[in-house]
Amino acid sequence: MVKDANYYTGLIFGELNAYCYMVKTGCKPVAEMGLQDRHLEEAKEIVGNNQLKFYSEFLYEGWSTIYIYKHDYLLDIIKSLPEKPNRTNNYWIYGKLFGYSDEEIRRFIEEHSTS
């Protein structure tokens, strides 16, 4: 099977646009996705065109994690997120930040909490 670059790029930007829609309409406060660095500028432009904010962090060589958010105060929360959540309060923060219901956060905590 030959990989169609346009098809994969379309999937990436389709996902990005869906995340912008979810954040813009309040379905989730923040969206996060991994993205190749070569797409960062275009992604930043798409996010800005949706009147949203964009933040990226190095993930590994050639890749970044991007965050899409609406309100300025969320950037401080994003920057303070633990890399590997392993406590109840971490799970709760991640759940709220990414738009999960209280019931789903509770369920996850009950299944995964170590403290």
Side-chain angles (χ1 to χ4, degrees):
M1 180 169 134
V2 176
K3 291 184 179 178
D4 180 350
N6 291 330
Y7 173 78
Y8 289 104
T9 302
L11 287 175
I12 291 165
F13 288 104
E15 180 181 5
L16 178 66
N17 279 300
Y19 282 145
C20 286
Y21 178 79
M22 286 183 249
V23 171
K24 190 173 185 174
T25 59
C27 294
K28 53 174 51 209
V30 176
E32 169 192 54
M33 69 184 281
L35 191 65
Q36 289 181 331
D37 290 345
R38 64 191 170 116
H39 297 301
L40 286 177
E41 287 305 313
E42 190 173 359
K44 188 174 185 178
E45 184 178 328
I46 290 168
V47 171
N49 288 341
N50 280 281
Q51 292 79 48
L52 299 171
K53 296 174 176 41
F54 177 94
Y55 173 69
S56 66
E57 291 181 344
F58 174 82
L59 184 56
Y60 53 85
E61 186 64 37
W63 286 80
S64 293
T65 301
I66 68 164
Y67 298 88
I68 303 160
Y69 60 100
K70 191 176 200 177
H71 304 288
D72 291 331
Y73 77 91
L74 292 167
L75 183 57
D76 287 336
I77 297 170
I78 292 166
K79 287 181 175 182
S80 68
L81 290 172
E83 188 173 319
K84 295 182 181 181
N86 62 357
R87 299 178 48 120
T88 300
N89 63 326
N90 296 153
Y91 297 145
W92 186 85
I93 291 168
Y94 268 88
K96 285 297 187 182
L97 202 59
F98 297 119
Y100 287 89
S101 70
D102 289 337
E103 183 61 24
E104 281 304 303
I105 295 169
R106 180 201 54 79
R107 186 194 58 73
F108 186 88
I109 288 170
E110 287 176 355
E111 291 178 8
H112 296 90
S113 186
T114 57
S115 62

